[in-house]
Amino acid sequence: MASLRLIEEFINTRMADGDAIAAVPDLTAWLTARDLVPGAATLSTADVSRAAAVREGLRALIAANNADPVRSPRGDGLSPTAREDLAALTGRLPLIVDVTAQPPGLVPRPGLPAVDSALAAMLATVVLAVADGSWSRLKACREPSCRWAYYDQSRNRSRSWCSMDLCGNRAKARAFYNRSQP
């Protein structure tokens, strides 16, 4: 779960009231604070765009971890091309098996720009989480206006909302209202 915490935090940089990595200084600060890029790294607006595309692709991937996703007339809150955009970017974010490490593991290919190396490292985390079975517990809130990432710690892996008090209550109230209408 510890490695997935980084993925969860990254996905949650887009909030209903803003985007924590929308500008070069914001992305630089976020990546530097997590030791994903050196403090002297120089980033560009293209790096911000790639990071946002990876983030939204990851959000779309974890939304698929929710069984029977609820569809709303307002849409599902996901970019319709997020997964395809992520798939297109993975060629720029290659991973290799480092057999010199103990134990061997997936690492970004040496020589990548700082941001690409950080994004590739996050994708390596995804691959490892799939392999250890923890990936299916990382989910996106079903509430279309939210889509917050959370780790489902429920015994039967059936949690649907980031918070039952907020998003779950809204969804249930909306369903009740719709059922009570003639």
Side-chain angles (χ1 to χ4, degrees):
M1 162 54 181
S3 59
L4 281 179
R5 181 77 182 146
L6 176 67
I7 302 298
E8 181 181 340
E9 288 176 5
F10 182 59
I11 292 170
N12 289 338
T13 58
R14 188 190 86 198
M15 303 150 282
D17 61 347
D19 188 338
I21 61 167
V24 171
D26 300 331
L27 178 61
T28 303
W30 194 91
L31 292 171
T32 303
R34 287 151 185 86
D35 295 322
L36 294 171
V37 297
T42 303
L43 280 60
S44 68
T45 55
D47 294 329
V48 172
S49 295
R50 276 196 315 287
V54 169
R55 176 188 63 199
E56 296 313 310
L58 290 172
R59 186 185 314 278
L61 289 176
I62 67 169
N65 288 340
N66 291 52
D68 303 323
V70 173
R71 297 292 178 208
S72 163
R74 297 177 294 170
D76 65 4
L78 299 171
S79 163
T81 62
R83 288 178 83 149
E84 293 81 14
D85 295 344
L86 178 60
L89 280 171
T90 57
R92 285 190 69 153
L93 307 170
L95 297 169
I96 61 168
V97 177
D98 181 0
V99 295
T100 63
Q102 196 60 328
L106 286 176
V107 296
R109 187 186 76 220
L112 289 176
V115 170
D116 290 349
S117 183
L119 296 173
M122 283 192 252
L123 293 177
T125 299
V126 170
V127 172
L128 295 174
V130 168
D132 73 15
S134 62
W135 176 252
S136 63
R137 287 188 176 269
L138 190 60
K139 298 179 179 181
C141 181
R142 284 187 181 172
E143 177 63 23
S145 63
C146 179
R147 305 311 266 173
W148 194 254
Y150 65 91
Y151 190 81
D152 182 358
Q153 296 183 358
S154 66
R155 184 178 298 194
N156 64 357
R157 301 176 184 211
S158 63
R159 188 171 157 197
S160 299
W161 298 284
C162 62
S163 164
M164 191 59 209
D165 293 338
L166 295 174
C167 293
N169 189 40
R170 287 181 193 144
K172 289 183 176 201
R174 188 171 41 251
F176 176 78
Y177 176 81
N178 289 337
R179 282 191 310 268
S180 66
Q181 294 304 303

mmCIF file of all heavy atoms in Angstrom, residues 132-176:
data_model
loop_
_atom_site.group_PDB
_atom_site.id
_atom_site.type_symbol
_atom_site.label_atom_id
_atom_site.label_comp_id
_atom_site.label_asym_id
_atom_site.label_seq_id
_atom_site.Cartn_x
_atom_site.Cartn_y
_atom_site.Cartn_z
ATOM 1 N N ASP A 132 1.324 -7.729 -7.214
ATOM 2 C CA ASP A 132 1.113 -8.172 -5.826
ATOM 3 C C ASP A 132 -0.364 -8.186 -5.418
ATOM 4 O O ASP A 132 -0.703 -8.526 -4.292
ATOM 5 C CB ASP A 132 1.959 -7.360 -4.839
ATOM 6 C CG ASP A 132 1.471 -5.929 -4.600
ATOM 7 O OD1 ASP A 132 0.320 -5.600 -4.961
ATOM 8 O OD2 ASP A 132 2.247 -5.141 -4.024
ATOM 9 N N GLY A 133 -1.258 -7.798 -6.323
ATOM 10 C CA GLY A 133 -2.689 -7.863 -6.062
ATOM 11 C C GLY A 133 -3.277 -6.653 -5.375
ATOM 12 O O GLY A 133 -4.483 -6.603 -5.126
ATOM 13 N N SER A 134 -2.478 -5.648 -5.066
ATOM 14 C CA SER A 134 -3.007 -4.468 -4.375
ATOM 15 C C SER A 134 -3.628 -3.442 -5.324
ATOM 16 O O SER A 134 -4.390 -2.582 -4.886
ATOM 17 C CB SER A 134 -1.912 -3.809 -3.522
ATOM 18 O OG SER A 134 -0.846 -3.351 -4.336
ATOM 19 N N TRP A 135 -3.329 -3.525 -6.613
ATOM 20 C CA TRP A 135 -3.830 -2.542 -7.574
ATOM 21 C C TRP A 135 -5.350 -2.461 -7.578
ATOM 22 O O TRP A 135 -5.924 -1.371 -7.656
ATOM 23 C CB TRP A 135 -3.309 -2.848 -8.978
ATOM 24 C CG TRP A 135 -3.872 -1.922 -10.009
ATOM 25 C CD1 TRP A 135 -4.787 -2.221 -10.956
ATOM 26 C CD2 TRP A 135 -3.557 -0.543 -10.173
ATOM 27 N NE1 TRP A 135 -5.069 -1.107 -11.712
ATOM 28 C CE2 TRP A 135 -4.326 -0.063 -11.248
ATOM 29 C CE3 TRP A 135 -2.713 0.350 -9.513
ATOM 30 C CZ2 TRP A 135 -4.271 1.257 -11.691
ATOM 31 C CZ3 TRP A 135 -2.655 1.667 -9.955
ATOM 32 C CH2 TRP A 135 -3.427 2.105 -11.020
ATOM 33 N N SER A 136 -6.026 -3.592 -7.474
ATOM 34 C CA SER A 136 -7.491 -3.595 -7.556
ATOM 35 C C SER A 136 -8.148 -2.874 -6.377
ATOM 36 O O SER A 136 -9.332 -2.570 -6.420
ATOM 37 C CB SER A 136 -8.019 -5.026 -7.645
ATOM 38 O OG SER A 136 -7.690 -5.743 -6.473
ATOM 39 N N ARG A 137 -7.384 -2.587 -5.335
ATOM 40 C CA ARG A 137 -7.927 -1.857 -4.182
ATOM 41 C C ARG A 137 -7.847 -0.340 -4.357
ATOM 42 O O ARG A 137 -8.479 0.395 -3.598
ATOM 43 C CB ARG A 137 -7.210 -2.263 -2.904
ATOM 44 C CG ARG A 137 -7.591 -3.653 -2.439
ATOM 45 C CD ARG A 137 -7.013 -3.919 -1.064
ATOM 46 N NE ARG A 137 -7.412 -5.190 -0.519
ATOM 47 C CZ ARG A 137 -8.491 -5.370 0.237
ATOM 48 N NH1 ARG A 137 -9.282 -4.366 0.511
ATOM 49 N NH2 ARG A 137 -8.774 -6.566 0.706
ATOM 50 N N LEU A 138 -7.072 0.144 -5.316
ATOM 51 C CA LEU A 138 -7.000 1.576 -5.572
ATOM 52 C C LEU A 138 -8.145 1.919 -6.508
ATOM 53 O O LEU A 138 -8.247 1.378 -7.612
ATOM 54 C CB LEU A 138 -5.652 1.964 -6.178
ATOM 55 C CG LEU A 138 -5.369 3.458 -6.263
ATOM 56 C CD1 LEU A 138 -5.390 4.109 -4.883
ATOM 57 C CD2 LEU A 138 -4.024 3.706 -6.929
ATOM 58 N N LYS A 139 -9.043 2.791 -6.066
ATOM 59 C CA LYS A 139 -10.266 3.078 -6.802
ATOM 60 C C LYS A 139 -10.491 4.580 -6.920
ATOM 61 O O LYS A 139 -9.874 5.360 -6.202
ATOM 62 C CB LYS A 139 -11.470 2.439 -6.108
ATOM 63 C CG LYS A 139 -11.380 0.926 -6.032
ATOM 64 C CD LYS A 139 -12.580 0.339 -5.323
ATOM 65 C CE LYS A 139 -12.505 -1.180 -5.278
ATOM 66 N NZ LYS A 139 -13.681 -1.749 -4.609
ATOM 67 N N ALA A 140 -11.415 4.929 -7.807
ATOM 68 C CA ALA A 140 -11.853 6.321 -7.952
ATOM 69 C C ALA A 140 -13.283 6.413 -7.456
ATOM 70 O O ALA A 140 -14.110 5.556 -7.764
ATOM 71 C CB ALA A 140 -11.773 6.763 -9.409
ATOM 72 N N CYS A 141 -13.567 7.423 -6.680
ATOM 73 C CA CYS A 141 -14.917 7.634 -6.164
ATOM 74 C C CYS A 141 -15.914 7.594 -7.316
ATOM 75 O O CYS A 141 -15.673 8.164 -8.379
ATOM 76 C CB CYS A 141 -14.991 8.987 -5.453
ATOM 77 S SG CYS A 141 -16.608 9.359 -4.746
ATOM 78 N N ARG A 142 -17.019 6.911 -7.109
ATOM 79 C CA ARG A 142 -18.032 6.782 -8.156
ATOM 80 C C ARG A 142 -18.800 8.071 -8.414
ATOM 81 O O ARG A 142 -19.454 8.203 -9.428
ATOM 82 C CB ARG A 142 -19.022 5.684 -7.793
ATOM 83 C CG ARG A 142 -18.470 4.315 -7.995
ATOM 84 C CD ARG A 142 -19.558 3.313 -7.784
ATOM 85 N NE ARG A 142 -19.047 1.965 -7.945
ATOM 86 C CZ ARG A 142 -19.749 0.894 -7.672
ATOM 87 N NH1 ARG A 142 -20.974 1.009 -7.232
ATOM 88 N NH2 ARG A 142 -19.219 -0.294 -7.833
ATOM 89 N N GLU A 143 -18.755 9.000 -7.487
ATOM 90 C CA GLU A 143 -19.472 10.269 -7.672
ATOM 91 C C GLU A 143 -18.818 11.029 -8.835
ATOM 92 O O GLU A 143 -17.638 11.392 -8.767
ATOM 93 C CB GLU A 143 -19.419 11.097 -6.389
ATOM 94 C CG GLU A 143 -20.059 12.446 -6.486
ATOM 95 C CD GLU A 143 -21.558 12.409 -6.765
ATOM 96 O OE1 GLU A 143 -22.222 11.390 -6.471
ATOM 97 O OE2 GLU A 143 -22.058 13.403 -7.288
ATOM 98 N N PRO A 144 -19.567 11.261 -9.923
ATOM 99 C CA PRO A 144 -18.975 11.885 -11.111
ATOM 100 C C PRO A 144 -18.341 13.253 -10.861
ATOM 101 O O PRO A 144 -17.369 13.605 -11.499
ATOM 102 C CB PRO A 144 -20.156 12.006 -12.079
ATOM 103 C CG PRO A 144 -21.104 10.953 -11.645
ATOM 104 C CD PRO A 144 -20.955 10.867 -10.154
ATOM 105 N N SER A 145 -18.847 13.997 -9.907
ATOM 106 C CA SER A 145 -18.275 15.315 -9.635
ATOM 107 C C SER A 145 -17.039 15.232 -8.747
ATOM 108 O O SER A 145 -16.371 16.231 -8.524
ATOM 109 C CB SER A 145 -19.315 16.222 -8.979
ATOM 110 O OG SER A 145 -19.702 15.680 -7.722
ATOM 111 N N CYS A 146 -16.714 14.053 -8.260
ATOM 112 C CA CYS A 146 -15.585 13.883 -7.341
ATOM 113 C C CYS A 146 -14.424 13.144 -8.008
ATOM 114 O O CYS A 146 -13.389 13.732 -8.281
ATOM 115 C CB CYS A 146 -16.041 13.141 -6.090
ATOM 116 S SG CYS A 146 -14.724 12.842 -4.880
ATOM 117 N N ARG A 147 -14.561 11.841 -8.192
ATOM 118 C CA ARG A 147 -13.542 10.959 -8.784
ATOM 119 C C ARG A 147 -12.232 10.965 -8.011
ATOM 120 O O ARG A 147 -11.163 10.703 -8.558
ATOM 121 C CB ARG A 147 -13.306 11.296 -10.256
ATOM 122 C CG ARG A 147 -14.572 11.264 -11.094
ATOM 123 C CD ARG A 147 -15.364 10.011 -10.887
ATOM 124 N NE ARG A 147 -14.998 9.033 -11.888
ATOM 125 C CZ ARG A 147 -15.415 7.797 -11.890
ATOM 126 N NH1 ARG A 147 -16.219 7.372 -10.964
ATOM 127 N NH2 ARG A 147 -15.054 6.972 -12.813
ATOM 128 N N TRP A 148 -12.300 11.241 -6.696
ATOM 129 C CA TRP A 148 -11.137 11.226 -5.812
ATOM 130 C C TRP A 148 -10.590 9.810 -5.723
ATOM 131 O O TRP A 148 -11.346 8.845 -5.658
ATOM 132 C CB TRP A 148 -11.577 11.712 -4.438
ATOM 133 C CG TRP A 148 -10.480 12.082 -3.496
ATOM 134 C CD1 TRP A 148 -10.060 11.357 -2.423
ATOM 135 C CD2 TRP A 148 -9.695 13.263 -3.500
ATOM 136 N NE1 TRP A 148 -9.051 12.009 -1.776
ATOM 137 C CE2 TRP A 148 -8.809 13.191 -2.414
ATOM 138 C CE3 TRP A 148 -9.642 14.376 -4.336
ATOM 139 C CZ2 TRP A 148 -7.883 14.184 -2.132
ATOM 140 C CZ3 TRP A 148 -8.717 15.369 -4.042
ATOM 141 C CH2 TRP A 148 -7.849 15.263 -2.958
ATOM 142 N N ALA A 149 -9.294 9.645 -5.703
ATOM 143 C CA ALA A 149 -8.669 8.328 -5.566
ATOM 144 C C ALA A 149 -8.615 7.941 -4.093
ATOM 145 O O ALA A 149 -8.369 8.783 -3.231
ATOM 146 C CB ALA A 149 -7.269 8.347 -6.153
ATOM 147 N N TYR A 150 -8.855 6.670 -3.819
ATOM 148 C CA TYR A 150 -8.767 6.171 -2.454
ATOM 149 C C TYR A 150 -8.378 4.696 -2.493
ATOM 150 O O TYR A 150 -8.597 4.003 -3.480
ATOM 151 C CB TYR A 150 -10.087 6.358 -1.684
ATOM 152 C CG TYR A 150 -11.232 5.552 -2.254
ATOM 153 C CD1 TYR A 150 -11.492 4.262 -1.801
ATOM 154 C CD2 TYR A 150 -12.023 6.065 -3.264
ATOM 155 C CE1 TYR A 150 -12.524 3.506 -2.337
ATOM 156 C CE2 TYR A 150 -13.056 5.325 -3.809
ATOM 157 C CZ TYR A 150 -13.305 4.052 -3.339
ATOM 158 O OH TYR A 150 -14.314 3.312 -3.891
ATOM 159 N N TYR A 151 -7.801 4.241 -1.394
ATOM 160 C CA TYR A 151 -7.426 2.835 -1.255
ATOM 161 C C TYR A 151 -8.536 2.130 -0.493
ATOM 162 O O TYR A 151 -8.854 2.490 0.643
ATOM 163 C CB TYR A 151 -6.094 2.710 -0.512
ATOM 164 C CG TYR A 151 -5.524 1.315 -0.525
ATOM 165 C CD1 TYR A 151 -4.821 0.860 -1.632
ATOM 166 C CD2 TYR A 151 -5.695 0.463 0.544
ATOM 167 C CE1 TYR A 151 -4.292 -0.427 -1.658
ATOM 168 C CE2 TYR A 151 -5.177 -0.822 0.535
ATOM 169 C CZ TYR A 151 -4.473 -1.257 -0.571
ATOM 170 O OH TYR A 151 -3.964 -2.522 -0.603
ATOM 171 N N ASP A 152 -9.154 1.136 -1.113
ATOM 172 C CA ASP A 152 -10.272 0.400 -0.521
ATOM 173 C C ASP A 152 -9.737 -0.626 0.471
ATOM 174 O O ASP A 152 -9.190 -1.645 0.086
ATOM 175 C CB ASP A 152 -11.079 -0.286 -1.629
ATOM 176 C CG ASP A 152 -12.288 -1.036 -1.103
ATOM 177 O OD1 ASP A 152 -12.499 -1.061 0.126
ATOM 178 O OD2 ASP A 152 -13.022 -1.594 -1.941
ATOM 179 N N GLN A 153 -9.912 -0.346 1.751
ATOM 180 C CA GLN A 153 -9.445 -1.257 2.790
ATOM 181 C C GLN A 153 -10.551 -2.154 3.316
ATOM 182 O O GLN A 153 -10.336 -2.904 4.262
ATOM 183 C CB GLN A 153 -8.810 -0.468 3.927
ATOM 184 C CG GLN A 153 -7.573 0.262 3.487
ATOM 185 C CD GLN A 153 -6.879 0.988 4.607
ATOM 186 O OE1 GLN A 153 -7.317 1.000 5.745
ATOM 187 N NE2 GLN A 153 -5.770 1.608 4.292
ATOM 188 N N SER A 154 -11.726 -2.090 2.689
ATOM 189 C CA SER A 154 -12.826 -2.935 3.158
ATOM 190 C C SER A 154 -12.487 -4.405 2.919
ATOM 191 O O SER A 154 -11.785 -4.748 1.968
ATOM 192 C CB SER A 154 -14.138 -2.572 2.465
ATOM 193 O OG SER A 154 -14.084 -2.868 1.085
ATOM 194 N N ARG A 155 -13.003 -5.255 3.782
ATOM 195 C CA ARG A 155 -12.694 -6.672 3.719
ATOM 196 C C ARG A 155 -13.091 -7.272 2.361
ATOM 197 O O ARG A 155 -12.354 -8.049 1.774
ATOM 198 C CB ARG A 155 -13.399 -7.418 4.840
ATOM 199 C CG ARG A 155 -13.037 -8.883 4.887
ATOM 200 C CD ARG A 155 -13.700 -9.577 6.026
ATOM 201 N NE ARG A 155 -13.230 -8.971 7.281
ATOM 202 C CZ ARG A 155 -13.404 -9.495 8.461
ATOM 203 N NH1 ARG A 155 -14.051 -10.627 8.587
ATOM 204 N NH2 ARG A 155 -12.958 -8.903 9.529
ATOM 205 N N ASN A 156 -14.271 -6.923 1.871
ATOM 206 C CA ASN A 156 -14.738 -7.511 0.620
ATOM 207 C C ASN A 156 -14.487 -6.631 -0.609
ATOM 208 O O ASN A 156 -15.024 -6.899 -1.676
ATOM 209 C CB ASN A 156 -16.230 -7.866 0.721
ATOM 210 C CG ASN A 156 -17.100 -6.642 0.911
ATOM 211 O OD1 ASN A 156 -16.599 -5.528 1.033
ATOM 212 N ND2 ASN A 156 -18.401 -6.847 0.950
ATOM 213 N N ARG A 157 -13.693 -5.595 -0.436
ATOM 214 C CA ARG A 157 -13.289 -4.712 -1.543
ATOM 215 C C ARG A 157 -14.483 -4.091 -2.256
ATOM 216 O O ARG A 157 -14.468 -3.913 -3.465
ATOM 217 C CB ARG A 157 -12.424 -5.462 -2.556
ATOM 218 C CG ARG A 157 -11.162 -6.033 -1.970
ATOM 219 C CD ARG A 157 -10.387 -6.831 -2.968
ATOM 220 N NE ARG A 157 -9.241 -7.433 -2.308
ATOM 221 C CZ ARG A 157 -8.110 -7.682 -2.904
ATOM 222 N NH1 ARG A 157 -7.945 -7.411 -4.168
ATOM 223 N NH2 ARG A 157 -7.111 -8.225 -2.246
ATOM 224 N N SER A 158 -15.506 -3.707 -1.513
ATOM 225 C CA SER A 158 -16.731 -3.212 -2.127
ATOM 226 C C SER A 158 -16.975 -1.716 -1.925
ATOM 227 O O SER A 158 -18.020 -1.212 -2.304
ATOM 228 C CB SER A 158 -17.935 -3.983 -1.574
ATOM 229 O OG SER A 158 -18.055 -3.739 -0.177
ATOM 230 N N ARG A 159 -16.031 -1.014 -1.348
ATOM 231 C CA ARG A 159 -16.212 0.421 -1.121
ATOM 232 C C ARG A 159 -16.386 1.124 -2.460
ATOM 233 O O ARG A 159 -15.687 0.825 -3.430
ATOM 234 C CB ARG A 159 -14.994 0.959 -0.375
ATOM 235 C CG ARG A 159 -15.140 2.379 0.071
ATOM 236 C CD ARG A 159 -13.992 2.760 0.984
ATOM 237 N NE ARG A 159 -13.825 4.199 0.961
ATOM 238 C CZ ARG A 159 -12.741 4.815 1.373
ATOM 239 N NH1 ARG A 159 -11.729 4.120 1.858
ATOM 240 N NH2 ARG A 159 -12.661 6.117 1.321
ATOM 241 N N SER A 160 -17.320 2.071 -2.528
ATOM 242 C CA SER A 160 -17.643 2.731 -3.790
ATOM 243 C C SER A 160 -17.343 4.222 -3.809
ATOM 244 O O SER A 160 -17.194 4.795 -4.877
ATOM 245 C CB SER A 160 -19.137 2.563 -4.097
ATOM 246 O OG SER A 160 -19.459 1.209 -4.223
ATOM 247 N N TRP A 161 -17.298 4.858 -2.643
ATOM 248 C CA TRP A 161 -17.125 6.301 -2.593
ATOM 249 C C TRP A 161 -15.934 6.655 -1.713
ATOM 250 O O TRP A 161 -15.593 5.927 -0.798
ATOM 251 C CB TRP A 161 -18.381 6.969 -2.044
ATOM 252 C CG TRP A 161 -19.570 6.730 -2.903
ATOM 253 C CD1 TRP A 161 -19.855 7.339 -4.097
ATOM 254 C CD2 TRP A 161 -20.638 5.811 -2.681
ATOM 255 N NE1 TRP A 161 -21.028 6.856 -4.604
ATOM 256 C CE2 TRP A 161 -21.535 5.911 -3.757
ATOM 257 C CE3 TRP A 161 -20.931 4.895 -1.670
ATOM 258 C CZ2 TRP A 161 -22.685 5.162 -3.852
ATOM 259 C CZ3 TRP A 161 -22.083 4.146 -1.762
ATOM 260 C CH2 TRP A 161 -22.946 4.281 -2.848
ATOM 261 N N CYS A 162 -15.366 7.821 -1.977
ATOM 262 C CA CYS A 162 -14.248 8.275 -1.151
ATOM 263 C C CYS A 162 -14.706 8.474 0.281
ATOM 264 O O CYS A 162 -13.973 8.211 1.222
ATOM 265 C CB CYS A 162 -13.650 9.554 -1.728
ATOM 266 S SG CYS A 162 -14.791 10.958 -1.767
ATOM 267 N N SER A 163 -15.954 8.925 0.437
ATOM 268 C CA SER A 163 -16.516 9.146 1.763
ATOM 269 C C SER A 163 -18.007 8.840 1.724
ATOM 270 O O SER A 163 -18.730 9.408 0.900
ATOM 271 C CB SER A 163 -16.299 10.602 2.183
ATOM 272 O OG SER A 163 -17.139 10.944 3.264
ATOM 273 N N MET A 164 -18.461 7.994 2.595
ATOM 274 C CA MET A 164 -19.888 7.696 2.669
ATOM 275 C C MET A 164 -20.653 8.921 3.153
ATOM 276 O O MET A 164 -21.783 9.165 2.738
ATOM 277 C CB MET A 164 -20.124 6.502 3.600
ATOM 278 C CG MET A 164 -21.519 5.959 3.546
ATOM 279 S SD MET A 164 -21.927 5.430 1.886
ATOM 280 C CE MET A 164 -23.668 5.713 1.928
ATOM 281 N N ASP A 165 -20.023 9.722 4.018
ATOM 282 C CA ASP A 165 -20.683 10.909 4.552
ATOM 283 C C ASP A 165 -20.965 11.951 3.478
ATOM 284 O O ASP A 165 -21.972 12.658 3.550
ATOM 285 C CB ASP A 165 -19.836 11.546 5.655
ATOM 286 C CG ASP A 165 -19.734 10.667 6.887
ATOM 287 O OD1 ASP A 165 -20.613 9.804 7.059
ATOM 288 O OD2 ASP A 165 -18.777 10.848 7.655
ATOM 289 N N LEU A 166 -20.093 12.059 2.492
ATOM 290 C CA LEU A 166 -20.279 13.078 1.461
ATOM 291 C C LEU A 166 -20.797 12.470 0.163
ATOM 292 O O LEU A 166 -21.979 12.561 -0.151
ATOM 293 C CB LEU A 166 -18.967 13.824 1.209
ATOM 294 C CG LEU A 166 -18.441 14.644 2.374
ATOM 295 C CD1 LEU A 166 -17.080 15.215 2.059
ATOM 296 C CD2 LEU A 166 -19.414 15.754 2.701
ATOM 297 N N CYS A 167 -19.916 11.869 -0.582
ATOM 298 C CA CYS A 167 -20.273 11.376 -1.917
ATOM 299 C C CYS A 167 -21.285 10.234 -1.870
ATOM 300 O O CYS A 167 -22.223 10.202 -2.672
ATOM 301 C CB CYS A 167 -19.022 10.954 -2.675
ATOM 302 S SG CYS A 167 -17.954 12.356 -3.074
ATOM 303 N N GLY A 168 -21.121 9.315 -0.958
ATOM 304 C CA GLY A 168 -22.061 8.210 -0.851
ATOM 305 C C GLY A 168 -23.452 8.701 -0.472
ATOM 306 O O GLY A 168 -24.461 8.253 -1.024
ATOM 307 N N ASN A 169 -23.497 9.646 0.458
ATOM 308 C CA ASN A 169 -24.778 10.211 0.869
ATOM 309 C C ASN A 169 -25.445 10.942 -0.303
ATOM 310 O O ASN A 169 -26.647 10.809 -0.509
ATOM 311 C CB ASN A 169 -24.578 11.147 2.052
ATOM 312 C CG ASN A 169 -25.887 11.595 2.644
ATOM 313 O OD1 ASN A 169 -26.827 10.815 2.758
ATOM 314 N ND2 ASN A 169 -25.961 12.863 3.006
ATOM 315 N N ARG A 170 -24.674 11.707 -1.052
ATOM 316 C CA ARG A 170 -25.228 12.415 -2.216
ATOM 317 C C ARG A 170 -25.799 11.436 -3.236
ATOM 318 O O ARG A 170 -26.889 11.646 -3.764
ATOM 319 C CB ARG A 170 -24.140 13.258 -2.884
ATOM 320 C CG ARG A 170 -23.767 14.473 -2.127
ATOM 321 C CD ARG A 170 -22.706 15.259 -2.876
ATOM 322 N NE ARG A 170 -22.147 16.262 -2.009
ATOM 323 C CZ ARG A 170 -20.895 16.644 -2.004
ATOM 324 N NH1 ARG A 170 -20.042 16.109 -2.859
ATOM 325 N NH2 ARG A 170 -20.471 17.560 -1.177
ATOM 326 N N ALA A 171 -25.056 10.382 -3.517
ATOM 327 C CA ALA A 171 -25.511 9.402 -4.508
ATOM 328 C C ALA A 171 -26.780 8.702 -4.039
ATOM 329 O O ALA A 171 -27.720 8.508 -4.827
ATOM 330 C CB ALA A 171 -24.414 8.378 -4.781
ATOM 331 N N LYS A 172 -26.828 8.345 -2.773
ATOM 332 C CA LYS A 172 -28.016 7.669 -2.260
ATOM 333 C C LYS A 172 -29.218 8.615 -2.211
ATOM 334 O O LYS A 172 -30.344 8.218 -2.528
ATOM 335 C CB LYS A 172 -27.731 7.054 -0.898
ATOM 336 C CG LYS A 172 -26.817 5.849 -1.016
ATOM 337 C CD LYS A 172 -26.582 5.190 0.303
ATOM 338 C CE LYS A 172 -25.734 3.944 0.049
ATOM 339 N NZ LYS A 172 -25.843 2.986 1.101
ATOM 340 N N ALA A 173 -28.993 9.865 -1.846
ATOM 341 C CA ALA A 173 -30.087 10.845 -1.832
ATOM 342 C C ALA A 173 -30.606 11.084 -3.257
ATOM 343 O O ALA A 173 -31.817 11.183 -3.472
ATOM 344 C CB ALA A 173 -29.620 12.154 -1.206
ATOM 345 N N ARG A 174 -29.689 11.171 -4.211
ATOM 346 C CA ARG A 174 -30.081 11.356 -5.615
ATOM 347 C C ARG A 174 -30.901 10.153 -6.116
ATOM 348 O O ARG A 174 -31.919 10.310 -6.769
ATOM 349 C CB ARG A 174 -28.841 11.578 -6.487
ATOM 350 C CG ARG A 174 -29.137 11.956 -7.891
ATOM 351 C CD ARG A 174 -27.893 12.383 -8.698
ATOM 352 N NE ARG A 174 -26.714 11.588 -8.474
ATOM 353 C CZ ARG A 174 -25.637 11.994 -7.825
ATOM 354 N NH1 ARG A 174 -25.563 13.201 -7.313
ATOM 355 N NH2 ARG A 174 -24.601 11.189 -7.679
ATOM 356 N N ALA A 175 -30.462 8.949 -5.774
ATOM 357 C CA ALA A 175 -31.191 7.750 -6.179
ATOM 358 C C ALA A 175 -32.570 7.715 -5.540
ATOM 359 O O ALA A 175 -33.567 7.378 -6.211
ATOM 360 C CB ALA A 175 -30.394 6.504 -5.800
ATOM 361 N N PHE A 176 -32.660 8.092 -4.271
ATOM 362 C CA PHE A 176 -33.957 8.136 -3.603
ATOM 363 C C PHE A 176 -34.878 9.147 -4.276
ATOM 364 O O PHE A 176 -36.044 8.874 -4.538
ATOM 365 C CB PHE A 176 -33.787 8.470 -2.122
ATOM 366 C CG PHE A 176 -35.093 8.630 -1.398
ATOM 367 C CD1 PHE A 176 -35.825 7.509 -1.005
ATOM 368 C CD2 PHE A 176 -35.600 9.888 -1.128
ATOM 369 C CE1 PHE A 176 -37.029 7.656 -0.348
ATOM 370 C CE2 PHE A 176 -36.815 10.035 -0.472
ATOM 371 C CZ PHE A 176 -37.529 8.915 -0.075
#
